Amino acid sequence: MPSEATPLRKLGFLTIGLFDREDPRAGHESTLEIIRLGEELGFDSAWVRHRHLQYGISSPVAVLAAATQRTSRIELGTAVIPTGWENPLRLAEDLATVDVLSGGRLNPGVSVGPPMNFEYVKAALYPDTDEDFSYRRVERLLSFVAGEKASDLSGAQGVVEVFSERVEPHAAGLRERMWYGGASMRSAVWAAEHKMNFLTSSVIRAEGSEDFAENQAAQVRAFRDGHPTGRVSQGLVVIPTDSASAEQKARYQEYVDKRTPRTTTTHGPRKMMFARDLIGSSDQIAEQLYAHAGFREVDEVAFALPFSFEHDDYVQILTDIATKLGPALGRRG
């Protein structure tokens, strides 16, 4: 647990990978360059979000497949793949393939629930089936990743074809690197029971308190109670300004100011809460993190890059995180 005496163990970052409708390649190339830069700067992990039917990465597994060929050390993660959009067997094949290509660096994060705006996409996504969007969907994925039986057919068939009863390729060790992106006490406990790692971000559910940090800390403790050896990563939005220009600082502050009002109350029947974006010098952000109950419960982070910034902004922010904020949090490396 990080404190001024106990350093942060792993430093990562998360990006949404925005692109322009008329020129999608440029945005994807920017994301790959940011991941490459992250490795160069010494980050331990790089994570990508997903955005279906929007202008952000829709296929994080494909993007990370490309990233495996531009990096050699950094861990590559998804935060997170909503399994409601996926066939668990096919997803297991894709994840295993990318893990093999990466040399065992993939950290897949997943979640459950119906696809976002399901009423608008059902006719295109699942026109003829009624799908199970419960935890059972992730359980199926975990079994396939672990190499459990997926077919009743195995061995040679005919002269050429040879079939396997499990998903191929099989990526040894991938099952232990599966993460669950959770926002509630129930999801934290479920992830622990199923020996997954736990991703907690800047959006969680209010349960027992309307203090974001206290709720997050309670969820992390519940996970650790059930899975003491499991990894936990926190993903708050941080915007260090140590090397930012005056124009960047003003633009960053405007972004934070627009998003801050949503952090003052809970939202909807599920009482969802948003964390405040942390902006300022690295020393100022480190001070706020050390005072954050949720941060004090973790020893690794995947700091989220803000939405809708420019490539040069991300370069500045990542550089400051690696060279200023990481050391301010005691991270060595």
Side-chain angles (χ1 to χ4, degrees):
M1 298 180 188
S3 68
E4 296 183 31
T6 307
L8 189 67
R9 189 170 61 87
K10 284 183 177 289
L11 180 66
F13 68 93
L14 168 65
T15 180
I16 191 173
L18 292 178
F19 57 84
D20 184 86
R21 177 186 179 118
E22 305 305 323
D23 183 19
R25 179 175 180 175
H28 285 78
E29 284 291 336
S30 172
T31 297
L32 291 170
E33 175 60 20
I34 287 296
I35 293 172
R36 188 205 60 76
L37 174 65
E39 176 167 278
E40 183 179 296
L41 289 169
F43 280 89
D44 298 293
S45 63
W47 303 73
V48 292
R49 294 184 187 268
H50 86 283
R51 282 295 183 270
H52 288 299
L53 303 179
Q54 294 179 261
Y55 306 112
I57 292 171
S58 61
S59 184
V61 180
V63 169
L64 292 183
T68 68
Q69 306 305 294
R70 303 193 187 193
T71 59
S72 61
R73 177 197 57 80
I74 195 168
E75 293 184 342
L76 303 169
T78 62
V80 292
I81 297 172
T83 55
W85 290 83
E86 308 287 343
N87 177 289
L89 191 153
R90 278 290 300 115
L91 179 58
E93 290 179 328
D94 287 347
L95 295 176
T97 299
V98 176
D99 193 49
V100 168
L101 289 171
S102 73
R105 291 184 284 136
L106 189 63
N107 283 259
V110 299
S111 65
V112 299
M116 181 183 291
N117 300 319
F118 187 48
E119 65 272 26
Y120 299 104
V121 300
K122 184 181 188 307
L125 188 60
Y126 299 117
D128 304 314
T129 59
D130 292 321
E131 298 291 319
D132 178 2
F133 298 127
S134 70
Y135 288 122
R136 175 59 186 150
R137 205 173 188 92
V138 176
E139 291 171 355
R140 290 170 56 203
L141 173 64
L142 294 176
S143 73
F144 297 141
V145 168
E148 296 177 15
K149 186 177 180 179
S151 171
D152 292 328
L153 177 64
S154 64
Q157 186 179 55
V159 178
V160 177
E161 302 286 358
V162 179
F163 292 89
S164 173
E165 74 284 355
R166 70 180 186 181
V167 163
E168 300 292 351
H170 176 67
L174 182 58
R175 172 62 181 85
E176 288 69 41
R177 283 178 272 114
M178 296 294 295
W179 295 71
Y180 188 80
S184 68
M185 192 69 72
R186 180 189 179 203
S187 60
V189 170
W190 185 89
E193 290 173 347
H194 290 77
K195 296 298 183 283
M196 300 184 75
N197 303 300
F198 188 55
L199 288 164
T200 180
S201 72
S202 57
V203 184
I204 63 171
R205 183 184 295 185
E207 298 171 299
S209 167
E210 293 196 0
D211 180 279
F212 181 96
E214 292 297 334
N215 272 281
Q216 190 169 65
Q219 291 173 13
V220 174
R221 288 193 293 267
F223 172 81
R224 291 197 187 282
D225 286 345
H227 189 17
T229 60
R231 293 169 62 185
V232 182
S233 181
Q234 183 194 47
L236 301 180
V237 176
V238 302
I239 310 176
T241 58
D242 303 86
S243 65
S245 67
E247 183 275 331
Q248 285 175 314
K249 289 179 181 180
R251 187 157 37 81
Y252 297 171
Q253 189 63 58
E254 181 181 9
Y255 173 88
V256 171
D257 290 344
K258 287 180 179 178
R259 284 163 49 97
T260 297
R262 69 178 187 164
T263 69
T264 62
T265 186
T266 60
H267 300 266
R270 299 178 66 201
K271 299 188 70 177
M272 302 307 293
M273 309 177 73
F274 294 89
R276 287 179 52 250
D277 301 332
L278 303 182
I279 186 172
S281 70
S282 289
D283 286 341
Q284 291 171 329
I285 292 175
E287 183 178 358
Q288 294 177 73
L289 287 170
Y290 282 133
H292 192 289
F295 178 79
R296 292 199 302 267
E297 293 291 334
V298 303
D299 62 2
E300 58 182 288
V301 295
F303 289 133
L305 295 175
F307 294 174
S308 68
F309 281 20
E310 299 297 325
H311 181 88
D312 288 347
D313 299 334
Y314 294 139
V315 171
Q316 175 264 309
I317 291 169
L318 280 182
T319 302
D320 281 356
I321 291 175
T323 62
K324 303 291 185 181
L325 181 56
L329 296 172
R331 191 248 182 189
R332 305 184 185 96

